Amino acid sequence: MSLPLNGVRRSVPPTESAPIRRGSKNPRPDATTTSGPEARVTAVVAEGDIFDAALVALVVSAGYDAAVVEPAQLAALRSPAAILVRSAAMLGFVRRVPALRSIRIIFVGNGVAGFDHIRISPRAPSAEEALQRALATVAGPPAPQSPPAFTNRVRLTDRELEILQTYTLGATLRQTSRAHEIAESTVREHYRRVARRYEEAGRPIGNKAQLLVELMNDGWVRP
């Protein structure tokens, strides 16, 4: 597996693309200012699904700042460390933006003919390590990380986490029940029980995409 990587300048994207920061659920107020020459910001091009947040969380967990950026805002970026794309259509779009021609693109997906990529399916146990190497090559070594300080963390049992991790990371109700050899009603009960705990903690859950985000915020799930 080879990766299309070179060193580039790093700065923070504009307010419209405010990054999701480590240890915080809110973007910083002024994303137009840089955090110095050591700033490491990676733009994750939005595809409009739950994996936008999952990929940002994965980049952040590797020690880098990350932002979900809408395609329409790409031309306004100020030399991000790298741009992460997940589809052939978005790759083509990014490559047609003149202002981004000097920025390195990391393709995380099933590949496009003639373009190196990090394969993530059907089975790719080394994908996370490949992404970390790609980021290190582009943005330099990751910033030192302190142990996360979780506030208002909702507790899960090992069994709840095992089942809900499968469910929130993309499996259907039926696929989850088959994977864990339980009834679909049992999967629903685990979901409802954990969702109720989050509601009691003042963090209501409306669907499994929101549950995935909260599980990642609490450090229970890594994408």
Side-chain angles (χ1 to χ4, degrees):
M1 177 188 302
S2 57
L3 303 173
L5 305 170
N6 285 311
V8 296
R9 293 183 297 115
R10 300 184 290 274
S11 64
V12 178
T15 304
E16 292 86 349
S17 312
I20 298 174
R21 308 277 294 177
R22 288 188 296 276
S24 173
K25 296 165 64 177
N26 301 312
R28 62 181 148 195
D30 183 7
T32 61
T33 59
T34 65
S35 54
E38 295 305 315
R40 301 178 179 91
V41 178
T42 298
V44 176
V45 182
E47 294 277 358
D49 57 30
I50 64 174
F51 296 105
D52 292 342
L55 189 52
V56 166
L58 183 58
V59 173
V60 168
S61 72
Y64 301 90
D65 284 345
V68 175
V69 182
E70 294 297 329
Q73 299 299 326
L74 286 172
L77 293 180
R78 301 177 185 175
S79 299
I83 297 175
L84 268 64
V85 296
R86 296 189 286 114
S87 70
M90 201 58 69
L91 173 63
F93 181 87
V94 171
R95 296 175 84 179
R96 289 193 297 271
V97 179
L100 302 177
R101 287 175 181 168
S102 64
I103 307 302
R104 305 312 300 175
I105 300 171
I106 302 175
F107 189 96
V108 182
N110 293 324
V112 173
F115 197 89
D116 294 330
H117 62 283
I118 299 173
R119 183 173 295 280
I120 58 173
S121 65
R123 292 183 180 274
S126 62
E128 183 175 343
E129 290 79 5
L131 178 58
Q132 290 173 350
R133 290 195 301 270
L135 292 168
T137 301
V138 168
Q145 298 186 62
S146 302
F150 299 108
T151 58
N152 198 26
R153 192 185 198 194
V154 171
R155 296 288 176 181
L156 277 75
T157 68
D158 291 342
R159 185 59 171 167
E160 288 169 343
L161 179 58
E162 179 184 16
I163 293 169
L164 293 179
Q165 180 168 298
T166 300
Y167 184 48
T168 58
L169 287 177
T172 65
L173 196 66
R174 177 174 296 181
Q175 289 169 338
T176 303
S177 68
R178 289 178 176 176
H180 297 283
E181 299 181 340
I182 57 177
E184 292 183 24
S185 60
T186 304
V187 179
R188 290 194 192 94
E189 181 55 33
H190 281 296
Y191 174 87
R192 290 168 182 161
R193 186 163 54 243
V194 171
R196 190 159 49 245
R197 284 189 215 136
Y198 274 102
E199 184 174 2
E200 292 169 353
R203 300 159 62 185
I205 301 296
N207 53 51
K208 75 174 187 176
Q210 293 176 358
L211 177 58
L212 173 61
V213 172
E214 294 298 346
L215 292 176
M216 290 190 295
N217 286 334
D218 280 348
W220 293 118
V221 171
R222 286 172 58 87

